[in-house]
Amino acid sequence: MERRQFLATGAALTAGAALPALTGRSAGAADRGARTAAGRLPARAEIVAVLRRVADHWIGAHADPGDNQWARATFFSGLMALHRLTREPRYLAYATGWAEKHSYGLHNGVTTRHADDHCAGQAYLDLYALDASPDPAKIAAIEDSLARMVHNSDQKHDDWWWDDALHMAMPPFARLGALRDDPAYWDAMHALYTHTKSAEGGPGLLDPGTGLWYRDKRFLPGGIASPSGKPVLWSRGNGWVAGAHAKVLTVLPDSYPHVPAYRAALAAELTALRGIQRPDGFWNVNLADPAHLPGPETSGTAFFTYGTAYAVRTGLVPRDAFRTVAARAWNGMVDTALHPDGFLGYVQNVGDRPESSQPVTYDSTADFGVGGFLLAGTELVALGGG
């Protein structure tokens, strides 16, 4: 990676690079824009009201709760976080209906090793944890599938070849290890993670010079670049990484040997992101080239907000500086991407790079983007609004 070039573009961006005109801004946008620039976090009640509006809109527009693949499963991860915050029965009923529709099963069955298929296990574990008398059937599939991977993790641990996989599969490994008091889950998870980070494609997907991650080996130096020849560090891919670390660190005990490395990885990523946040609170789809399809994008920004709020709350990063980052991001999403009825826009849909599912507009949304937004808001409430 051309590190000096990357840092220079970040400096230019934070200094106030010109932003494209936005549509859909409501009355009072100037006042709210000032709040975004100042990095003031709204009060708890205001954040919760926004979260409810977004969740209610999605549920109202989707009577069928959908499939059990990664995108919808990410929505339910966010919805379950909101349920834990609000104890709203409708949210629990909607999530339970989704899980029961799929018999708490996995896409492609228990023999799958694909991280995307394991994402549903996060919500199944959430539902299992709520039971006064836990029902083992709710986590039977995810436990069976991951146990198969644990069994031969010393021979095979190259399944997670793209950085999205960390968010999809690390959390259920971490949680089953805690639930069963069995560090073998954590060790298998770490072997898979280490391959992604330090071996995939040769050097691994982490760029140690910046703390940011390439989406997969095609984007490593010498591979796919931006139209101007700069690196491609995809926003949402890095968002998945931030979300994975936050979820895993919430579960693992301090005594687990690899916890310090996970903390350091998250802090390094967030430090890099702080330097390239847009003035409107968002991050561009290419973190290394602000001229490459510039504009607000909600899904990456939501997961960065979630990871930053977690890191501030747990003391991984300096509170004042990074609380401001999280507040600017949240206010930016609410001011720019949120429709009055709760529809959440500026979400880049399914893809693997900045060009995917373009253009990204005020009317672009997706289930996983909504889920990330719900995770971000609930973590900001835990951090403390106002």
Side-chain angles (χ1 to χ4, degrees), residues 19-41:
L19 303 179
L22 304 180
T23 60
R25 298 293 295 273
S26 59
D31 291 341
R32 293 193 302 275
R35 182 178 68 180
T36 298
R40 299 194 300 270
L41 196 61

Side-chain angles (χ1 to χ4, degrees), residues 113 146 148-162 165-166 169-170 173-174 183-200 204-205 213 248 252 256-259 261-262:
R113 296 180 65 92
L146 297 194
R148 293 166 187 255
M149 295 182 70
V150 170
H151 179 70
N152 70 347
S153 64
D154 55 339
Q155 288 90 37
K156 180 171 173 54
H157 44 258
D158 59 354
D159 300 89
W160 298 350
W161 53 264
W162 72 118
L166 302 186
M170 284 184 77
F173 271 95
Y185 284 96
W186 302 336
D187 294 341
M189 175 188 74
H190 186 69
L192 289 153
Y193 169 88
T194 300
H195 174 87
T196 309
K197 176 182 178 182
S198 304
E200 176 62 25
L205 301 184
W213 296 61
V248 167
L252 292 178
Y256 185 61
H258 300 299
V259 161
Y262 295 151

Side-chain angles (χ1 to χ4, degrees), residues 312-323:
V312 171
R313 181 173 62 80
T314 56
L316 298 186
V317 293
R319 181 178 179 86
D320 290 345
F322 284 86
R323 192 175 190 272

Side-chain angles (χ1 to χ4, degrees), residues 23-82:
T23 60
R25 298 293 295 273
S26 59
D31 291 341
R32 293 193 302 275
R35 182 178 68 180
T36 298
R40 299 194 300 270
L41 196 61
R44 171 193 171 100
E46 185 177 342
I47 297 173
V48 173
V50 166
L51 292 172
R52 283 183 172 273
R53 188 172 8 137
V54 170
D56 291 348
H57 180 276
W58 184 270
I59 292 170
H62 298 86
D64 180 347
D67 62 32
N68 63 346
Q69 298 184 49
W70 67 267
R72 194 56 56 95
T74 299
F75 165 77
F76 280 102
S77 176
L79 187 68
M80 288 302 297
L82 182 57

